[in-house]
């Protein structure tokens, strides 16, 4: 009987958390200020960001969903975000799942894939990809329902709306804004989890475009392959400008090698292989370092950390060979050893707790039952 009452109480608390999230109510940050995680797109190279997060978790002794108040991902970064912060997988489980996803998703006969690209503008089987997402992310669960769990941080998945006169980012999120806050980006919290990922990973040439609620979505990386600036903007919308930024961790999914062994071919005005053409166009359109340059100038020292390893080989976004995935992991570990001091500073910044004064202010605000805009 007592357990039944406890279950009912837990369900009531979960529904209250969801209702508050839909009304724009926001609890205080877990640390001294806002802690943000942003993960770039990059196809199967998302295994790189999983490896970096594994090292951060080891250094802090906390799981990813415990370390951050807001997590934002574009394309493959959204997949990593959901695996770690809504499915609550360990980083080891997430790496295993990512390898399995890469193998299942990017396994295609070249002749069949070329025919599909010609007929439907997608090299891979979009239907099979959709079934995979439904299986791993629960078909019926919506974004806002993730807010029922007190462990879940604010989540953002970025896609690109392609049926407007100007391409615009679209934010799938598990929260809404306070009524006094006007949204800068179009977005929604009513879609299913798999729909958000499907929309954010609809890379032209790889998968079919995604149609949802009158919008045509394509890969989030087309406009915002590095979504850190969007994450910062949303954090300000949620918690307000008076809440300090404690730490921003931005994870890239690998830079191209400085000396490309195919340099002569790449520098030529004619590239014979259609796939090489597509990859070159995508790399050009999804540059991530410009955002990094701006944020290093804007954010206070000791609050912004960007980790983006240089790969020893120029690997495609749809790479699924086990030895090449292992090579990405090795390159990432080498990069982290070389940048150990920066990693330690990031771990230290993430570990700062709320002060006694902040805790008292939280208690006082709760007692006064103040429902104020952030």
């Amino acid at each position: 009987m007592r357990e039944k009452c406890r279950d009912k109480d837990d369900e009531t608390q979960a529904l209250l958390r969801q209702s508050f999230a839909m009304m724009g109510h926001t609890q205080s940050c877990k640390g001294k200020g806002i802690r943000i995680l942003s993960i770039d797109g990059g196809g199967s190279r998302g295994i790189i960001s999983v490896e970096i997060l594994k090292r951060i978790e080891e250094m802090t002794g906390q799981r990813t969903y415990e370390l951050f108040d807001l997590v934002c991902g574009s394309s493959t970064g959204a997949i990593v975000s959901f695996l770690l912060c809504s499915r609550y997988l360990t980083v080891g489980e997430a790496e295993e799942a990512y390898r399995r996803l890469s193998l299942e998703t990017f396994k295609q006969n070249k002749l069949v894939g070329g025919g599909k690209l010609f007929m439907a503008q997608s090299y891979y089987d979009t239907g099979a990809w959709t079934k995979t997402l439904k299986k791993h992310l629960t078909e019926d669960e919506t974004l806002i329902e993730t807010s029922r769990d007190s462990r879940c941080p604010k989540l953002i998945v970025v896609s690109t709306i392609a049926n407007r006169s100007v391409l615009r980012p679209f934010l799938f999120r598990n929260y809404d804004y306070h009524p006094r806050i006007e949204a800068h980006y179009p977005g929604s919290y009513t879609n299913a989890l798999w729909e958000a990922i499907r929309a954010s990973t609809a890379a032209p040439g790889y998968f079919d475009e995604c149609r949802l609620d009158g919008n045509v979505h394509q890969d989030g990386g087309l406009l915002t392959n590095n979504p850190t600036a969007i994450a910062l903007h949303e954090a300000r919308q949620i918690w307000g400008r008076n809440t300090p930024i404690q730490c921003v961790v931005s994870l890239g999914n690998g830079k191209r090698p400085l000396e490309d062994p195919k340099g002569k071919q790449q520098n030529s005005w004619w590239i014979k292989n259609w796939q090489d053409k597509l990859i070159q166009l995508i790399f050009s359109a999804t540059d991530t370092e410009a955002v990094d340059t701006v944020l290093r100038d804007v954010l206070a020292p000791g609050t912004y950390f960007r980790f983006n390893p240089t790969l020893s080989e120029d690997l495609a976004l749809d790479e699924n060979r086990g030895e090449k995935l292992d090579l990405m992991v090795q390159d990432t570990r080498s990069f982290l050893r070389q940048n150990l001091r920066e990693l330690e500073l990031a771990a230290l910044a993430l570990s700062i707790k709320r002060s006694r004064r902040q805790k008292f202010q939280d208690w006082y605000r709760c007692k006064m039952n103040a429902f104020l805009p952030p």
Side-chain angles (χ1 to χ4, degrees):
M1 185 69 179
R2 188 176 298 174
E3 289 185 1
K4 287 184 179 180
C5 291
R6 188 181 300 116
D7 290 341
K8 287 182 180 179
D9 184 61
D10 290 343
E11 179 63 21
T12 300
Q13 291 296 321
L15 288 172
L16 282 172
R17 281 190 289 268
Q18 179 179 328
S19 299
F20 284 141
M22 293 172 67
M23 292 187 295
H25 175 72
T26 303
Q27 292 185 338
S28 301
C29 300
K30 302 171 186 176
K32 186 178 181 180
I34 308 170
R35 299 180 295 181
I36 299 170
L37 172 63
S38 172
I39 308 177
D40 291 7
S44 59
R45 295 185 303 174
I47 198 169
I48 293 171
S49 54
V50 174
E51 185 64 29
I52 298 172
L53 287 170
K54 181 190 297 184
R55 191 73 181 97
I56 292 175
E57 286 192 3
E58 289 173 355
M59 298 181 77
T60 59
Q62 291 182 283
R63 300 276 294 278
T64 300
Y65 63 83
E66 296 173 308
L67 286 169
F68 297 97
D69 302 290
L70 183 147
V71 180
C72 180
S74 183
S75 190
T76 193
I79 300 175
V80 175
S81 301
F82 272 44
L83 291 177
L84 295 175
C85 297
S86 72
R87 304 298 88 183
Y88 308 109
L89 299 186
T90 66
V91 282
E93 292 170 337
E95 180 178 353
E96 182 181 344
Y98 217 92
R99 286 176 180 270
R100 188 167 60 251
L101 281 173
S102 298
L103 185 61
E104 293 175 1
T105 306
F106 299 125
K107 190 175 184 179
Q108 180 78 279
N109 179 283
K110 288 189 176 182
L111 184 61
V112 174
K116 287 178 63 61
L117 182 64
F118 178 75
M119 297 297 294
Q121 288 114 33
S122 62
Y123 186 81
Y124 294 103
D125 188 340
T126 304
W129 173 231
T130 301
K131 289 180 181 178
T132 299
L133 290 176
K134 290 180 179 180
K135 180 177 71 174
H136 287 278
L137 293 175
T138 310
E139 183 172 351
D140 297 328
E141 186 176 5
T142 62
L143 288 155
I144 194 62
E145 286 177 330
T146 63
S147 64
R148 293 186 177 194
D149 196 319
S150 60
R151 298 174 296 175
C152 187
K154 304 293 185 185
L155 294 175
I156 304 170
V157 173
V158 185
S159 73
T160 301
I161 299 181
N163 60 330
R164 306 282 179 91
S165 57
V166 178
L167 296 180
R168 291 201 66 189
F170 185 94
L171 308 188
F172 296 94
R173 55 187 192 269
N174 66 346
Y175 60 89
D176 201 3
Y177 306 109
H178 189 277
R180 298 183 187 180
I181 299 296
E182 184 176 351
H184 180 73
Y185 299 103
S188 171
Y189 60 77
T190 60
N191 295 95
L193 303 183
W194 71 265
E195 289 178 319
I197 299 296
R198 167 72 181 89
S200 186
T201 57
Y206 288 85
F207 296 110
D208 295 338
E209 59 193 19
C210 180
R211 296 177 179 271
L212 292 172
D213 306 322
N215 289 316
V216 176
H217 297 267
Q218 290 188 330
D219 195 287
L222 291 178
L223 282 182
T224 48
N225 204 38
N226 178 350
T228 313
I230 284 180
L232 273 167
H233 171 79
E234 288 297 291
R236 290 304 191 194
Q237 295 285 80
I238 297 168
W239 285 283
R241 296 192 175 276
N242 291 330
T243 305
I245 299 295
Q246 178 175 330
C247 184
V248 178
V249 175
S250 176
L251 303 183
N253 282 314
K255 301 177 186 177
R256 305 177 79 176
L258 298 178
E259 295 184 5
D260 189 348
K262 297 182 180 179
K264 292 183 179 179
Q265 181 184 7
Q266 296 294 336
N267 290 332
S268 172
W269 67 276
W270 174 254
I271 303 174
K272 295 181 180 180
N273 189 314
W274 64 266
Q275 196 172 19
D276 286 344
K277 286 184 179 181
L278 180 62
I279 290 171
Q280 188 180 48
L281 286 171
I282 290 175
F283 268 117
S284 298
T286 58
D287 175 65
T288 60
E289 299 312 298
V291 175
D292 174 49
T293 301
V294 172
L295 293 182
R296 287 187 186 278
D297 291 337
V298 171
L299 293 175
T303 61
Y304 174 69
F305 303 90
R306 170 78 172 168
F307 301 102
N308 192 18
T310 298
L311 302 179
S312 55
E313 289 187 23
D314 187 8
L315 299 172
L317 303 178
D318 56 353
E319 181 61 69
N320 70 344
R321 291 171 291 177
E323 65 272 18
K324 296 302 181 182
L325 296 178
D326 290 339
L327 179 60
M328 292 187 216
V329 172
Q330 292 171 15
D331 288 340
T332 305
R333 290 175 179 173
S334 176
F335 167 83
L336 294 177
R337 285 194 297 269
Q338 295 169 12
N339 294 271
L340 180 59
R341 179 56 180 164
E342 191 77 358
L343 198 64
E344 290 174 338
L345 290 173
L348 182 63
L350 287 170
S351 301
I352 300 173
K353 305 295 183 183
R354 290 186 74 75
S355 65
R356 290 184 179 180
R357 180 180 179 182
Q358 287 177 312
K359 289 179 180 179
F360 174 78
Q361 290 173 338
D362 296 340
W363 173 85
Y364 182 77
R365 185 170 180 174
C366 180
K367 287 294 184 183
M368 295 297 292
N369 195 26
F371 186 71
L372 302 174

